[in-house]
Amino acid sequence: HMTQLTDAEVDRVAACKVSVAHCPESNMKLASGSCPVPRLLAAGVNVALGTDGCASNNDLDMFGEMRTAALHAKLIASNPEALPAPEALHMATLAGARALGLGDVTGSLEPGKAADIQAVQLGGVESTPVYSVASHLVYCTGRHQVTDVWVAGRRVLAGRRFTTLDEAAVVAKVHARRDAQRGREQGLSRVPPTPGRRGSGAPRSAPRPPTAQPPRSREGGGSTS
């Protein structure tokens, strides 16, 4: 995620036309460092936006990621004008498509491209008034405001309801897997430790005292004493 770049490496990334997947919330949670997004953009690097996995970024919310990226860039650059809202929105859309080699297919609404569209409700009290759509999408919009989604023209979310998934069945399946995992963990915690085994937490057995041996008789019988 390019969190430990030197100035020379920034120039090398730009020269090699490397795309960067910026995952600011994951980097913060793991204390991985800070991606120098303003420097990369100034060098002409294509910087996309990502969430990383759910183990290091629990909500996987791209709207939250845009906001965090924009604020974090301003902080590390000590410049309130670093990474303006339109640039953050670009990172979450077309820059991501270009990073995947799909810049001619998706990432923006243009004739000939796939109809990948989100409808976002900006008419609620939390989004009123709207002066700049880009600023609102980056700084004060959440995923709960997404009402409809089309993927390649196919409507997969309609009025916040999935059209291709049984949501109740998916949730039930996830809960069943969670309960099974908890059962396995509890079963392991009940396994009694092996006495004397290192790392088991049980005290080691005390050494046995030496057993007294009877005196050996000399050849031909008789006692040695």
Side-chain angles (χ1 to χ4, degrees):
H1 297 165
M2 302 293 187
T3 60
Q4 309 293 332
L5 291 176
T6 64
D7 289 340
E9 288 169 336
V10 169
D11 293 337
R12 187 178 304 171
V13 167
C16 294
K17 301 187 183 302
V18 173
S19 287
V20 174
H22 179 40
C23 303
E25 292 186 5
S26 172
N27 294 340
M28 290 179 180
K29 185 176 182 181
L30 299 178
S32 301
S34 296
C35 178
V37 172
R39 286 161 49 201
L40 288 167
L41 293 175
V45 176
N46 180 58
V47 182
L49 196 62
T51 61
D52 207 3
C54 58
S56 58
N57 182 345
N58 304 65
D59 60 7
L60 306 181
D61 184 351
M62 283 294 289
F63 286 94
E65 212 72 34
M66 282 194 294
R67 185 174 189 270
T68 300
L71 297 178
H72 183 258
K74 294 167 175 52
L75 176 66
I76 63 173
S78 299
N79 178 5
E81 296 183 353
L83 195 57
E87 186 67 43
L89 185 60
H90 172 82
M91 288 169 57
T93 53
L94 186 55
R98 288 174 175 168
L100 295 172
L102 299 174
D104 295 332
V105 177
T106 187
S108 58
L109 298 179
E110 300 179 49
K113 284 191 174 185
D116 297 333
I117 306 169
Q118 287 186 14
V120 182
Q121 175 58 260
L122 295 180
V125 64
E126 71 274 20
S127 300
T128 301
V130 177
Y131 290 105
S132 166
V133 173
S135 181
H136 263 59
L137 289 175
V138 171
Y139 291 116
C140 64
T141 298
R143 58 184 176 183
H144 66 282
Q145 292 169 252
V146 177
T147 61
D148 299 82
V149 176
W150 291 262
V151 177
R154 183 186 184 189
R155 198 177 195 180
V156 296
L157 187 72
R160 299 190 177 93
R161 296 286 185 181
F162 294 109
T163 64
T164 61
L165 299 173
D166 184 338
E167 184 175 349
V170 172
V171 171
K173 185 176 182 180
V174 171
H175 284 172
R177 290 191 175 186
R178 176 204 60 191
D179 294 343
Q181 178 64 26
R182 284 180 174 175
R184 287 192 293 269
E185 292 172 353
Q186 291 172 359
L188 290 174
S189 67
R190 294 194 185 106
V191 176
T194 303
R197 183 177 179 180
R198 292 186 179 182
S200 66
R204 301 185 67 181
S205 302
R208 295 182 179 181
T211 304
Q213 299 292 331
R216 296 181 180 179
S217 60
R218 293 178 179 174
E219 187 176 355
S223 172
T224 58
S225 58

